[in-house]
Amino acid sequence: MTYIKIKRYNSQNSRFELDIVELKKQEIESKIAEIAGEYLKFFKIYIKKEKMNYNLKWEYNEEEIFQSEAFDGKYILYSSDTTLTASEVVREYLGKDFVEKTFYSLKSHLNIAPVRHWKNHRIRGIFFVSMIALWLRVVYNHKLNQLSKNERIYDFDELIRRLRRVEYVEIEVENEEKCYWYLNLNDKIASQLKKMGFKKLFEEKRISHL
């Protein structure tokens, strides 16, 4: 145990005790709680006034420390669905990160909010297109993560930015089949897409005699 004696103010030998002695017992307890903060429960503190002095005694709250150690680094997962097993509750909880990132993508990258439409069929339409775009983004991101760092020429956002510049050209020549190709599609983009598994994403059919 540790004892601390708080004396009254003495101008000759201890000027630092003035503010402490002037406090009432409740105020001293409040000051101690302010200093200890959330750790106050781990201590037992006793303050007793004897004549002109205050005696303070403290000790560890062993019971509270023991209970805290039992749950140290742990927390409870509770589900309102009582039919789920413990493993299913944990799996659902771990899936929240995907849900949060999905909403982030919808709001930021896909610009789904705000929806500046009022008719039901238009609102359903923009949500449908956004869901398709989200699905493509998830698949694309998964494919990109399968590549090693050395194989990634462009990161996710940079490759998307470059793909926006790609333009489709279609030409019909008399007595020949329809021809088509893509502009602004360089070898680096095509190479990375092939490594990701999109080998036929930008197939071309050029004019035979050119």
Side-chain angles (χ1 to χ4, degrees):
M1 297 183 182
T2 301
Y3 295 85
I4 300 176
K5 181 173 285 188
I6 304 176
K7 296 183 178 180
R8 283 183 174 275
Y9 174 68
N10 187 320
S11 60
Q12 296 181 352
N13 54 29
S14 185
R15 60 181 180 179
F16 299 105
E17 297 180 2
L18 175 62
D19 293 336
I20 298 176
V21 174
E22 292 293 334
L23 296 176
K24 298 179 181 178
K25 181 180 178 181
Q26 292 80 3
E27 293 174 318
I28 295 175
E29 291 174 343
S30 177
K31 289 291 184 181
I32 293 173
E34 183 181 336
I35 294 172
E38 60 180 317
Y39 302 105
L40 180 63
K41 62 181 181 180
F42 299 124
F43 300 93
K44 292 181 179 180
I45 300 174
Y46 310 95
I47 301 174
K48 185 177 181 181
K49 186 175 183 181
E50 297 179 356
K51 297 182 180 181
M52 305 301 293
N53 301 325
Y54 280 104
N55 285 331
L56 185 148
K57 180 180 73 174
W58 67 268
E59 61 184 358
Y60 290 114
N61 189 338
E62 300 292 348
E63 182 179 354
E64 191 68 39
I65 293 174
F66 175 78
Q67 292 180 0
S68 181
E69 287 177 343
F71 293 96
D72 193 20
K74 303 174 184 177
Y75 54 92
I76 297 175
L77 291 179
Y78 175 79
S79 173
S80 57
D81 187 350
T82 56
T83 63
L84 296 177
T85 65
S87 298
E88 289 172 335
V89 171
V90 173
R91 186 162 56 250
E92 291 294 327
Y93 175 77
L94 294 177
K96 76 180 182 64
D97 182 62
F98 171 77
V99 175
E100 291 172 352
K101 288 182 178 178
T102 297
F103 276 107
Y104 174 78
S105 295
L106 287 172
K107 292 180 180 179
S108 55
H109 300 293
L110 303 182
N111 298 321
I112 198 172
V115 179
R116 303 187 185 280
H117 295 281
W118 291 267
K119 294 185 177 180
N120 289 338
H121 69 280
R122 291 182 178 176
I123 294 174
R124 287 195 295 267
I126 192 172
F127 269 85
F128 174 76
V129 172
S130 296
M131 289 300 112
I132 295 297
L134 176 63
W135 180 81
L136 292 173
R137 184 181 179 92
V138 170
V139 172
Y140 170 80
N141 198 33
H142 173 72
K143 294 285 187 179
L144 183 62
N145 289 333
Q146 303 303 308
L147 301 180
S148 65
K149 291 184 179 181
N150 295 332
E151 293 177 312
R152 297 182 194 179
I153 304 173
Y154 304 110
D155 61 16
F156 184 93
D157 293 323
E158 178 61 20
L159 184 54
I160 291 295
R161 189 184 70 82
R162 289 177 178 270
L163 286 174
R164 287 175 181 159
R165 300 179 56 203
V166 176
E167 298 181 10
Y168 175 76
V169 177
E170 185 178 290
I171 295 179
E172 291 188 34
V173 180
E174 188 176 357
N175 300 325
E176 290 196 25
E177 294 183 13
K178 184 184 297 183
C179 299
Y180 49 88
W181 62 87
Y182 297 89
L183 303 177
N184 301 322
L185 182 65
N186 60 44
D187 294 337
K188 290 183 179 180
I189 296 176
S191 175
Q192 180 162 327
L193 289 173
K194 287 180 180 179
K195 290 178 180 178
M196 293 168 60
F198 303 111
K199 297 180 179 180
K200 298 182 179 181
L201 185 60
F202 291 106
E203 283 191 319
E204 296 181 331
K205 182 177 177 58
R206 294 182 176 271
I207 301 175
S208 59
H209 60 273
L210 292 180

